[in-house]
Amino acid sequence: MKLARKSGCINSEMGQYLCCCIQVEQSKVALKEKFGRYEEVLEPGCHCLPWFLGSQIGGYLSLRVQKLDVRCETKTKDNVFVTVIASVQYRALLEKASDAFYKLSNTREQIQAYVFDVIRSSVPKMNLDDVFEQKNEVAKAVEEELEKAMTTYGYEIVQTLIVDIEPDETVKRAMNEINAAVRMRVATRDKAEAEKILQIKRAEAEAESKFLSGQGIARQRQAIVDGLRDSVLAFSVNVPGTTAKDVMDMVLVTQYFDTMKEIGASSKSSAVFIPHGPGAVRDVAEQIRDGLLQAQAQGH
């Protein structure tokens, strides 16, 4: 089938050639020669080619955009070897089709040589980090140099991109370790700062708790004093002939027995009173009374 198609195409071309006609496909041009000398560019369509007058087709040239990927190994300013991959998009110009066809024997090798020259003159002036940050500047330099050189040969540089920068594997591993160490250091600092804030807040909470607890104890003692005072006054009024000392002794005895009751009600209590006995209440009362009298004497 392929041979049949191929032979059919050959027969078709031979038929066109014998009929002095030539067909040029879309996105292509044909270079017409006469007795081996360039004469004109034939654009897409059907053209008359009087072969018996010495006219012939020298060749065809594509006008489509073509892409060339160039891998270039070079060294940075900080002595790191990298592989720079540049992608060049180019096409032949219709108005300069003859230059594009006759002046260059190998377009791709010519473009590759210019890319090597620009990259190996630009990258060694930069450190490795700068190469990554300024790859657009490198691409622009390559494109400008190619544009100046290839326009002379009838080619247009559509776009030039630096698509990848590949350092040596050991260098990439070292860069990743440096980055990981920096991030770990930042994380440790943030963790320490958070712990510091937590401890400060805990201390503030503890101080506030102790302050409130002190206020509560002070209010509790004030309430006890007020209650005792009211009890003494009420008892003195309702029971004639009793003194404040008698009332205070009775209140202390009552509190003593209430305390003993609470201790006895708890099976896990470990409180011990020494000396033990109701007579100890009198001693406590005398100590309190003597302390109050000494305070009053010092006040006068």
Side-chain angles (χ1 to χ4, degrees):
M1 180 63 70
K2 291 183 179 179
L3 292 175
R5 288 181 179 178
K6 187 174 181 181
S7 60
C9 293
I10 294 175
N11 292 334
S12 176
E13 292 178 359
M14 289 297 295
Q16 292 179 3
Y17 187 74
L18 292 175
C19 295
C20 299
C21 293
I22 187 68
Q23 177 181 327
V24 181
E25 297 179 358
Q26 185 65 32
S27 299
K28 287 185 178 181
V29 292
L31 284 302
K32 180 181 177 183
E33 297 177 352
K34 189 171 184 179
F35 296 112
R37 183 177 181 179
Y38 166 73
E39 187 174 34
E40 63 176 330
V41 175
L42 302 181
E43 298 185 14
C46 186
H47 300 274
C48 181
L49 189 70
W51 56 269
F52 51 87
L53 296 179
S55 297
Q56 62 179 1
I57 297 299
Y60 294 90
L61 182 67
S62 174
L63 300 179
R64 294 180 179 179
V65 176
Q66 302 181 59
K67 188 185 78 163
L68 173 63
D69 291 333
V70 181
R71 298 177 62 91
C72 177
E73 184 179 8
T74 184
K75 186 177 71 170
T76 62
K77 187 177 181 181
D78 48 355
N79 297 322
V80 177
F81 282 91
V82 295
T83 300
V84 181
I85 302 177
S87 179
V88 181
Q89 298 177 358
Y90 66 97
R91 65 182 176 186
L93 297 172
L94 176 60
E95 59 273 16
K96 294 185 177 181
S98 59
D99 293 336
F101 184 79
Y102 289 106
K103 285 187 176 182
L104 282 180
S105 60
N106 194 320
T107 306
R108 300 175 72 87
E109 289 186 1
Q110 185 74 13
I111 293 176
Q112 184 175 358
Y114 280 110
V115 172
F116 281 173
D117 180 67
V118 175
I119 290 179
R120 287 175 176 169
S121 62
S122 300
V123 173
K125 299 177 182 178
M126 306 177 185
N127 292 325
L128 180 60
D129 293 338
D130 296 335
V131 174
F132 283 96
E133 295 175 0
Q134 302 178 20
K135 69 174 187 176
N136 290 336
E137 284 74 8
V138 176
K140 185 177 180 181
V142 173
E143 184 173 344
E144 290 177 353
E145 186 66 24
L146 285 175
E147 189 70 30
K148 289 189 298 183
M150 299 305 295
T151 302
T152 306
Y153 300 111
Y155 283 92
E156 176 190 11
I157 304 301
V158 178
Q159 192 173 21
T160 302
L161 301 173
I162 302 298
V163 295
D164 198 6
I165 300 172
E166 298 179 354
D168 186 75
E169 188 64 31
T170 56
V171 176
K172 288 196 292 185
R173 190 181 304 111
M175 293 174 65
N176 290 334
E177 290 177 356
I178 292 172
N179 189 23
V182 171
R183 293 179 182 273
M184 185 65 69
R185 184 164 59 249
V186 173
T188 303
R189 184 173 64 246
D190 292 343
K191 184 179 179 180
E193 189 68 22
E195 185 66 24
K196 175 183 175 182
I197 295 173
L198 183 62
Q199 291 181 359
I200 292 174
K201 293 299 181 181
R202 188 183 295 117
E204 291 177 352
E206 185 176 357
E208 184 70 17
S209 175
K210 290 181 178 180
F211 174 75
L212 295 176
S213 177
Q215 284 187 334
I217 293 173
R219 291 176 181 176
Q220 180 185 14
R221 291 176 178 176
Q222 182 65 39
I224 292 173
V225 171
D226 293 342
L228 291 175
R229 184 182 64 247
D230 295 340
S231 298
V232 170
L233 293 176
F235 200 88
S236 299
V237 172
N238 295 327
V239 182
T242 58
T243 63
K245 175 181 177 301
D246 297 333
V247 176
M248 182 61 70
D249 290 341
M250 186 186 67
V251 170
L252 290 175
V253 171
T254 302
Q255 288 186 346
Y256 173 80
F257 282 111
D258 289 342
T259 302
M260 295 299 296
K261 180 180 178 181
E262 291 180 1
I263 293 174
S266 177
S267 61
K268 298 182 179 180
S269 177
S270 60
V272 177
F273 286 89
I274 299 175
H276 181 70
V281 178
R282 180 178 296 274
D283 296 335
V284 174
E286 290 178 355
Q287 292 176 11
I288 294 174
R289 184 169 55 255
D290 293 342
L292 292 175
L293 292 175
Q294 290 177 5
Q296 291 177 358
Q298 291 176 1
H300 294 295

